[in-house]
Amino acid sequence: MKIYKFLSLFFIAFTLFTISSCSNRDDDNPQDTTPGSLQVKFENGFNNVGDIVLNQTMQTSSQGQKHNFSALKYVVSNIALIDENGNEFKYNENNPDKGAFIVDQADAVAGIVYLNLDGVPKNNYKKIRFGLGISQKAYLLGQDGQAEFWTKAKQKGMSWSWAAGYVFVKLEGKYGTDSPAKEFMNHTGNMGNTTANNTPDLYREITLDLPTTARVNGQIRPSIHILADLNQFLSGDKALTLTSANDMMMGSSQHLVDVTNNLTKMFKVDHVHND
């Protein structure tokens, strides 16, 4: 009877151990290098309160101007994931056809725009870096080198002529003192070859720490939730005021340089899901 009881307990323990080992083999087996996928979620809001509703959500700037957005779009490219040892995985670097995305608030689902990355090496990632806009290196590959994304950008209204290039950030809406009544349009972007044209390069790269490690493997698809605080547009490091002199601007004027510098500070990682 004692032998039977011992064998029964042994069998139960062995079964539980086997199940546990199988469920964790992806993490425990260093030989398993199966790549996985990762999702990046962008949620646009004001003062870290998400879900801007186009033509409705109103904000008051630090200078007392009220404004809303009828269009809110920006280009994200050159995504890189940085692991615990500082090693980087660069997702289709300087290849807009495969590695550039347009975050368009009009496409948001419950306030969130989803970017899905496949073929991400198994690893534990501690930081994420991405470009706001398209780098000069990618642009100078020529139109044939990015035909798919160029077509997509045209359809989304995120390009000028090829000689002028891409719109990096498109902000449109209304502003005013008592209520948003006057229209504004601020479109940032490089004017073609910035060196040849002697114009500012508005491409920026942003690096963010992850509050929780993103564990990519064949069984787990992490989701990195990024909040974008659009209050930085007018109330960032440099407080800006919309006037008749700058409310209808496209390109890389000093006002749009200031807008770009403000917007690079608008991103932060809110949380990471590992599931």
Side-chain angles (χ1 to χ4, degrees), residues 20 30 57 164 174 214 235 253-254 260 267:
S20 176
T57 307
K174 293 182 178 180
S235 306
S253 66
Q254 184 56 52
T260 297
F267 300 103

Side-chain angles (χ1 to χ4, degrees), residues 42-201:
F42 283 88
E43 183 173 2
N44 298 310
F46 285 124
N47 288 330
N48 299 316
V49 177
D51 195 7
I52 288 175
V53 179
L54 297 178
N55 297 304
Q56 292 185 37
T57 307
M58 184 177 67
Q59 176 69 344
T60 302
S61 74
S62 60
Q63 302 300 297
Q65 279 192 326
K66 293 179 170 57
H67 61 284
N68 61 24
F69 294 117
S70 58
L72 166 51
K73 309 178 188 182
Y74 48 90
V75 174
V76 170
S77 66
N78 286 348
I79 296 174
L81 300 168
I82 304 166
D83 70 15
E84 298 167 311
N85 299 313
N87 301 311
E88 297 183 0
F89 165 66
K90 298 178 180 179
Y91 185 78
N92 295 302
E93 184 181 30
N94 293 317
N95 182 352
D97 279 355
K98 295 183 178 180
F101 306 87
I102 297 171
V103 176
D104 183 350
Q105 189 64 15
D107 296 334
V109 177
I112 296 173
V113 177
Y114 297 83
L115 311 185
N116 295 306
L117 313 184
D118 296 319
V120 178
K122 176 185 176 181
N123 211 333
N124 296 323
Y125 297 102
K126 295 291 290 183
K127 296 182 180 183
I128 185 171
R129 185 178 68 242
F130 56 89
L132 183 62
I134 297 291
S135 72
Q136 277 285 282
K137 189 171 182 179
Y139 170 73
L140 293 175
L141 292 175
Q143 193 170 359
D144 292 340
Q146 50 208 289
E148 291 180 28
F149 186 70
W150 179 253
T151 298
K152 184 184 297 184
K154 286 180 67 176
Q155 292 171 345
K156 280 287 192 179
M158 294 298 284
S159 67
W160 293 299
S161 66
W162 176 251
Y166 292 98
V167 177
F168 292 175
V169 179
K170 174 177 279 191
L171 301 177
E172 297 179 359
K174 293 182 178 180
Y175 73 98
T177 302
D178 298 321
S179 64
K182 188 175 182 182
E183 293 187 354
F184 74 89
M185 178 185 71
N186 279 189
H187 298 178
T188 76
N190 287 342
M191 292 289 95
N193 185 327
T194 57
T195 301
N197 296 332
N198 193 29
T199 53
D201 184 355

Side-chain angles (χ1 to χ4, degrees), residues 178-268:
D178 298 321
S179 64
K182 188 175 182 182
E183 293 187 354
F184 74 89
M185 178 185 71
N186 279 189
H187 298 178
T188 76
N190 287 342
M191 292 289 95
N193 185 327
T194 57
T195 301
N197 296 332
N198 193 29
T199 53
D201 184 355
L202 297 192
Y203 174 74
R204 298 287 188 272
E205 290 193 340
I206 297 101
T207 302
L208 303 173
D209 292 327
L210 305 185
T212 306
T213 300
R215 297 164 42 232
V216 176
N217 59 50
Q219 303 300 317
I220 298 174
R221 184 193 68 172
S223 177
I224 299 173
H225 192 139
I226 296 175
L227 295 180
D229 176 11
L230 271 296
N231 194 50
Q232 296 295 316
F233 169 42
L234 298 180
S235 306
D237 284 350
K238 184 168 185 176
L240 301 175
T241 302
L242 291 172
T243 69
S244 58
N246 63 23
D247 60 8
M248 292 290 171
M249 278 196 163
M250 298 183 291
S252 56
S253 66
Q254 184 56 52
H255 169 71
L256 295 177
V257 171
D258 294 337
V259 168
T260 297
N261 290 337
N262 279 354
L263 293 179
T264 58
K265 305 292 180 63
M266 71 179 176
F267 300 103
K268 78 168 188 178

